[in-house]
Amino acid sequence: MAAQKKITRAEQKALRPIQILDAAFEEFVRSGFTGTRVEDIADRVGVTKGTVYVYFETKEKLFEAMINHFSVPFQELLGITENLSGSATDRLISILGLLYEQIAEDRTTRELTRLVIAEGHRFPDLIDRHHDQFIEPIITKVDALILEGVTSGEFREVPVEFSDIVVAPILTTTVLRLIFDDRRVPTPNKEAFLRTYFDLLLNGLLAKPH
């Protein structure tokens, strides 16, 4: 087996903030904001507490940076949705499938959701920015697709708030898994869940033949 290439000091330094953010995520998930100690984060990385403060001045700034760092996949998901093709139904199903994978199935996103719920009252401005930058654009995209389908006659007329109902099953599944883990709510079969989800959704959304 070939020897693993040793990274340089410069490369290690460049990696350090990400290593700290990854460690911070695990500690905040395990202990919450109040219970997390910066020295425990440092121990996970194998550095001193002072090194953490070189990159992040306070625990609050570290928490904010961590939330922003792990929210990036939402921005990437939005970029993917811009390149979808097909009918409004096809694109809506694709977006919701991507959302299910990103929110309900991805452990990091689920735990990020837990942190946003548990610690949001401490960081209202951060949570509002998180919503405006990453969540609202996706909801807006769903709204636009529904309106497009209504305009073309593919979908029937629905209330403006229908997008909230559309994404609700994904959020409900995520929250139940956060609360009960696998004790009371078994991990859903992805294919079966999405098949039933889309069947119920489209039976309420598609225009009925006259």
Side-chain angles (χ1 to χ4, degrees):
M1 181 183 296
Q4 188 174 12
K5 181 182 177 182
K6 186 176 181 179
I7 65 176
T8 65
R9 288 176 62 87
E11 290 171 332
Q12 181 64 56
K13 186 175 181 180
L15 285 172
R16 189 68 76 206
I18 303 302
Q19 293 171 335
I20 293 172
L21 291 173
D22 288 343
F25 174 81
E26 297 299 338
E27 286 297 322
F28 284 129
V29 165
R30 185 173 71 93
S31 304
F33 179 81
T34 301
T36 293
R37 304 187 310 163
V38 174
E39 49 263 53
D40 292 333
I41 295 171
D43 286 345
R44 276 185 180 266
V45 183
V47 299
T48 66
K49 181 169 67 172
T51 299
V52 175
Y53 285 126
V54 167
Y55 295 96
F56 306 98
E57 296 176 1
T58 64
K59 189 167 76 167
E60 288 77 10
K61 289 185 180 297
L62 176 56
F63 184 86
E64 292 185 12
M66 181 273 299
I67 291 290
N68 289 329
H69 173 64
F70 284 99
S71 296
V72 168
F74 284 104
Q75 192 65 45
E76 295 173 348
L77 186 151
L78 185 62
I80 293 173
T81 66
E82 296 298 331
N83 297 315
L84 295 175
S85 59
S87 66
T89 299
D90 291 338
R91 283 175 285 154
L92 182 61
I93 287 175
S94 294
I95 288 176
L96 295 176
L98 290 168
L99 274 177
Y100 179 82
E101 291 179 355
Q102 185 61 59
I103 298 176
E105 288 210 320
D106 185 84
R107 180 251 176 186
T108 299
T109 305
R110 288 201 309 271
E111 295 299 342
L112 187 68
T113 302
R114 186 199 302 275
L115 287 171
V116 167
I117 294 172
E119 308 293 351
H121 67 286
R122 298 179 184 275
F123 303 91
D125 293 339
L126 170 65
I127 301 307
D128 287 349
R129 288 198 305 272
H130 176 273
H131 181 273
D132 293 344
Q133 294 173 6
F134 303 109
I135 306 302
E136 187 62 32
I138 295 174
I139 297 300
T140 299
K141 185 69 175 180
V142 172
D143 280 333
L145 265 178
I146 293 174
L147 179 59
E148 179 184 332
V150 170
T151 301
S152 67
E154 190 174 344
F155 299 155
R156 66 185 181 86
E157 293 282 351
V158 294
V160 176
E161 301 82 4
F162 196 75
S163 59
D164 292 335
I165 299 173
V166 168
V167 300
I170 296 174
L171 298 178
T172 299
T173 299
T174 302
V175 171
L176 287 175
R177 290 186 67 184
L178 285 174
I179 294 172
F180 296 111
D181 206 2
D182 291 327
R183 298 190 310 278
R184 299 288 183 88
V185 183
T187 301
N189 177 278
K190 175 185 173 182
E191 289 73 23
F193 177 90
L194 291 178
R195 184 169 56 249
T196 303
Y197 174 32
F198 295 147
D199 180 60
L200 291 171
L201 172 64
L202 295 177
N203 270 301
L205 189 57
L206 289 174
K208 303 296 183 183
H210 297 289

